[in-house]
Amino acid sequence: MKSNVLIAALVCTAGVSLPVHAGVTYQTQSRAISVATSFDGNQQSAAAPDFGRFQASLTLATDFINADGATQDNTAGAGIDCQLDPNAILVNGSLSGAGGLALTGGKAITGEAAVSLSIEFTLDQATSFALRASRRPSDSDKDRFKIKLEHTGGMVVMIDQDDPAQELDLEGVLPAGVYSLEYQAELKIEGPETLRDYFFSLAVPAPGMIAWTPAAACAALRRRRAHG
């Protein structure tokens, strides 16, 4: 198991003031949620058609006879509210599921929900950033999870399901260039109904860091740690 999230401060040149407004240009986007109930093999998905605000919710429900001979719910739900603002990427929502052990064949029945984002953007000048994220929704390291922010010059942040579950609260400086951002979370439940919220934000520039120099911002990045 990896001991911590990979964090790289990409700009550490002193004496240069950061801009009040960064030139953020979105190039591509892919944002989606999905749900599935394994007992009946049903599944649904919804995706953002463009760069506008993406609000969607999906719910599936069926029932099955569990190992005790009782009727039990097999459900899955996912919701998202995601905005690509001029100076921030904001996303929050919830994932839920319910399942159990089927009487016939002793098969595990799962309710599955997932969210995924893949966004490419450019910055026209070095700019401070603040990245915030809730703990991963699932307690299982078998459920996919990823937060990845990458610059053409190297990795900025990388965390996945093999890292300890943790909140993220990071600040630093991003140099000008092209960036790719990925956020992915999955929840698979084989027991009673479970509901988990998720949250992610990337602000450029970071609130409260507008007048900082890159050297000061890099020092802040070294001080701030991912919360366990």
Side-chain angles (χ1 to χ4, degrees), residues 5-14 18 126-129 131 149-151 153-158 170-176 179 209 212-225:
V5 57
L6 171 64
I7 306 170
L10 297 181
V11 174
C12 294
T13 304
L18 297 180
T127 311
S128 65
F129 79 95
L131 187 153
L149 178 61
E150 188 173 13
H151 176 252
M155 192 70 66
V156 183
V157 177
M158 175 63 190
L170 309 174
E171 293 181 350
V173 176
L174 300 176
Y179 289 85
M209 293 183 64
W212 287 29
T213 66
C218 287
L221 179 58
R222 289 191 291 269
R223 289 196 303 269
R224 302 182 78 94
R225 300 294 183 186

Side-chain angles (χ1 to χ4, degrees), residues 1-221:
M1 178 178 289
K2 288 177 276 187
S3 61
N4 207 344
V5 57
L6 171 64
I7 306 170
L10 297 181
V11 174
C12 294
T13 304
V16 180
S17 297
L18 297 180
V20 174
H21 298 292
V24 180
T25 304
Y26 293 108
Q27 303 292 337
T28 64
Q29 68 85 30
S30 175
R31 296 171 289 164
I33 55 173
S34 62
V35 293
T37 46
S38 69
F39 181 72
D40 57 4
N42 201 357
Q43 55 186 338
Q44 292 182 359
S45 63
D50 51 38
F51 290 94
R53 186 173 185 174
F54 177 42
Q55 294 177 296
S57 62
L58 298 171
T59 303
L60 290 177
T62 187
D63 56 50
F64 63 99
I65 305 302
N66 65 20
D68 296 325
T71 300
Q72 189 165 334
D73 293 331
N74 180 202
T75 64
I80 187 172
D81 184 358
C82 180
Q83 299 181 68
L84 304 182
D85 291 342
N87 295 107
I89 297 171
L90 306 169
V91 58
N92 65 83
S94 62
L95 304 175
S96 66
L101 193 64
L103 177 62
T104 304
K107 182 180 179 181
I109 304 300
T110 60
E112 305 176 13
V115 56
S116 63
L117 283 74
S118 179
I119 299 165
E120 185 176 288
F121 63 93
T122 61
L123 291 177
D124 62 5
Q125 53 192 315
T127 311
S128 65
F129 79 95
L131 187 153
R132 312 280 188 259
S134 57
R135 291 166 60 96
R136 65 174 184 256
S138 176
D139 297 323
S140 172
D141 60 9
K142 296 180 181 179
D143 292 349
R144 292 175 297 173
F145 180 76
K146 181 194 295 185
I147 297 176
K148 180 180 179 182
L149 178 61
E150 188 173 13
H151 176 252
T152 48
M155 192 70 66
V156 183
V157 177
M158 175 63 190
I159 182 173
D160 62 21
Q161 67 273 4
D162 293 327
D163 291 291
Q166 57 195 286
E167 296 179 357
L168 294 184
D169 183 3
L170 309 174
E171 293 181 350
V173 176
L174 300 176
V178 180
Y179 289 85
S180 62
L181 170 68
E182 294 181 55
Y183 178 89
Q184 183 181 59
E186 185 179 61
L187 181 69
K188 297 180 180 178
I189 302 298
E190 297 178 5
E193 184 174 23
T194 300
L195 172 67
R196 299 287 173 82
D197 294 329
Y198 63 87
F199 168 81
F200 174 87
S201 71
L202 175 65
V204 183
M209 293 183 64
I210 292 173
W212 287 29
T213 66
C218 287
L221 179 58

